[in-house]
C-alpha cells in the first residue's frame, strides 16, 4: 500500500509542486489549504504523514498539530517553517511535531526526510515486539500501544517519543549521543538538527520527571548526549 501524505499548505503552487513530486515518488496525497480543512481531512481520512505549513488561514499549523495530538493522533508531522523563524521551529516541536524543514527547502532533502521517517517507522514496527513494555520506578511505557504512565497518569506518546524512550531504555545507564538518537529515530546521518532531539527530551521530561530542572531519569551528559537511569539518580 502506498503511503498516504496530507499536504497542508495554503500557497497553491507549493502544494501542487509537492503533490506532483510526492506522487512521482510513489506516494498518494491529498491537499488541505487551511488549518480547519486539514483537521477535517485528517479526521476523515487515513494518512501516514502530514506535511504541515505553520502560517495558515483559519487555524495555524501549531494549533492543528496540538489538536491532532490532543485527539491521540500519533501520526508523524513534519513542519514546513519559514527561513530564520527559529521560534517557529521550536514551537513546532513543542506543539508535538516530529521534525521541521525550512522554506525554501530542497526537494531532494524533503524526499530524503520523508523516506527516512517511513524507514524508521518500519524499523520500529519490526523491532518493537521484542520488548512490548518497559517499567521503571512507578512508571511504564508500552511500545506497542504508544502509551505510558508518567507522573500525571496515563498519556499517549507520539511515534518519535516512543522510539526515543525505547532507544534510551535499550541503552539504560549508558550515554546515548544525539547523533545516535538522530540516526536511530530520524534516520538522518547528515542533518545536524540537535535542537530537535533536545526538544524531544524536554517533552519526555515533562511526562516522567517530577522536576524537569533536576532530572532523575533522563539526564543530560554535557557535551555528549543523554543517559537514562531507570532506577533514578540525581544529576552529578
Ligand atoms: Ca503559508
Amino acid at each position: 500500500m502506498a503511503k498516504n501524505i496530507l499536504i497542508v499548505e495554503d500557497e497553491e503552487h507549493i502544494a501542487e509542486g509537492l503533490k506532483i513530486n510526492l506522487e512521482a515518488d510513489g506516494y498518494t496525497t491529498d491537499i488541505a489549504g487551511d488549518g480547519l480543512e486539514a483537521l477535517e481531512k485528517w479526521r476523515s481520512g487515513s494518512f501516514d504523514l502530514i506535511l504541515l505549513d505553520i502560517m495558515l488561514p483559519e487555524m495555524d499549523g501549531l494549533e492543528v498539530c496540538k489538536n491532532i495530538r490532543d485527539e491521540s493522533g500519533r501520526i508523524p508531522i513534519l513542519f514546513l517553517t519559514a527561513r530564520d523563524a527559529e521560534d517557529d521551529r521550536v514551537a513546532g516541536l513543542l506543539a508535538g511535531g516530529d521534525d521541521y524543514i525550512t522554506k525554501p527547502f530542497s526537494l531532494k532533502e524533503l524526499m530524503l526526510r520523508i523516506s527516512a521517517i517511513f524507514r524508521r517507522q518500519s524499523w520500529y514496527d519490526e523491532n518493537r515486539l521484542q520488548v512490548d513494555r518497559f517499567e521503571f520506578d512507578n512508571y511504564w511505557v508500552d511500545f506497542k500501544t504508544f502509551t505510558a504512565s508518567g507522573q500525571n497518569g496515563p498519556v499517549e506518546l507520539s511515534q518519535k517519543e516512543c522510539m526515543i524512550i525505547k532507544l534510551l531504555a535499550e541503552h539504560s545507564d549508558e550515554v546515548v549521543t544525539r547523533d545516535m538518537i538522530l540516526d536511530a529515530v530520524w534516520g538522518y546521518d547528515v542533518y545536524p538538527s540537535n535542537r530537535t532531539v533536545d526538544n524531544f527530551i524536554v517533552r519526555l521530561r515533562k511526562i516522567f520527571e517530577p522536576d524537569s530542572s533536576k532530572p532523575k531519569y533522563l539526564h543530560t551528559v554535557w557535551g555528549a548526549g543523554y543517559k537514562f537511569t531507570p532506577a533514578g539518580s540525581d544529576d552529578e
Side-chain angles (χ1 to χ4, degrees), residues 123-134 141-144 157 159-172 176 185 204 228:
W123 160 82
Y124 182 85
D125 288 345
E126 283 156 18
N127 288 288
R128 71 182 183 196
L129 295 177
Q130 290 170 10
V131 186
D132 274 357
R133 195 179 155 99
F134 186 79
V141 181
D142 190 316
F143 300 119
K144 198 175 177 184
L157 299 174
Q159 284 182 0
K160 295 271 189 242
E161 287 165 350
C162 220
M163 286 180 186
I164 291 177
I165 197 83
K166 180 171 188 286
L167 180 73
L168 291 170
E170 284 168 353
H171 295 272
S172 291
V176 177
V185 176
L204 290 169
F228 180 40

Side-chain angles (χ1 to χ4, degrees), residues 9-11 53-57 103:
E9 171 62 77
D10 57 318
E11 286 168 77
D53 186 26
I54 290 195
M55 297 291 284
L56 291 167
K103 292 181 184 177

Side-chain angles (χ1 to χ4, degrees), residues 8-235:
V8 187
E9 171 62 77
D10 57 318
E11 286 168 77
E12 265 180 54
H13 67 284
I14 296 181
E16 284 299 327
L18 288 170
K19 180 183 170 68
I20 288 164
N21 281 282
L22 288 167
E23 292 184 353
D25 260 21
Y27 300 110
T28 54
T29 65
D30 199 352
I31 294 175
D34 67 58
L36 290 177
E37 191 186 3
L39 273 185
E40 277 166 25
K41 289 204 166 176
W42 169 70
R43 287 188 186 120
S44 58
S46 175
F47 296 98
D48 301 294
L49 174 79
I50 301 178
L51 289 183
L52 185 54
D53 186 26
I54 290 195
M55 297 291 284
L56 291 167
E58 305 299 336
M59 177 190 281
D60 72 26
L62 299 174
E63 282 302 310
V64 171
C65 183
K66 279 182 201 152
N67 272 278
I68 289 173
R69 293 295 185 237
D70 284 350
E71 291 175 37
S72 307
R74 55 175 173 259
I75 185 168
I77 295 176
L78 177 51
F79 274 108
L80 310 174
T81 66
R83 189 162 51 165
D84 300 331
E86 186 69 27
D87 289 351
D88 274 0
R89 299 176 205 169
V90 175
L93 294 170
L94 290 175
D98 293 291
D99 198 3
Y100 57 81
I101 188 162
T102 45
K103 292 181 184 177
F105 46 80
S106 113
L107 215 44
K108 189 175 166 219
E109 185 179 344
L110 179 68
M111 294 301 170
L112 283 174
R113 290 207 191 193
I114 290 172
S115 62
I117 286 171
F118 290 133
R119 206 168 53 241
R120 297 330 284 168
Q121 204 169 20
S122 6
W123 160 82
Y124 182 85
D125 288 345
E126 283 156 18
N127 288 288
R128 71 182 183 196
L129 295 177
Q130 290 170 10
V131 186
D132 274 357
R133 195 179 155 99
F134 186 79
E135 294 181 16
F136 65 103
D137 230 334
N138 293 317
Y139 307 138
W140 51 261
V141 181
D142 190 316
F143 300 119
K144 198 175 177 184
T145 57
F146 296 87
T147 52
S149 182
Q151 47 162 332
N152 297 316
V155 290
E156 307 257 351
L157 299 174
S158 74
Q159 284 182 0
K160 295 271 189 242
E161 287 165 350
C162 220
M163 286 180 186
I164 291 177
I165 197 83
K166 180 171 188 286
L167 180 73
L168 291 170
E170 284 168 353
H171 295 272
S172 291
D173 302 311
E174 293 169 20
V175 174
V176 177
T177 65
R178 289 180 178 83
D179 283 351
M180 280 169 71
I181 298 175
L182 281 173
D183 189 40
V185 176
W186 277 266
Y188 306 160
D189 41 25
V190 286
Y191 310 113
S193 39
N194 280 342
R195 190 175 279 262
T196 304
V197 176
D198 296 343
N199 277 282
F200 270 84
I201 299 293
V202 169
R203 277 155 61 169
L204 290 169
R205 279 187 181 140
K206 276 190 188 146
I207 297 172
F208 298 112
E209 297 288 358
D211 180 354
S212 289
S213 66
K214 293 195 187 86
K216 280 177 70 183
Y217 312 102
L218 295 162
H219 302 278
T220 300
V221 182
W222 296 107
Y226 294 101
K227 186 163 78 174
F228 180 40
T229 56
S233 74
D234 292 329
D235 253 339

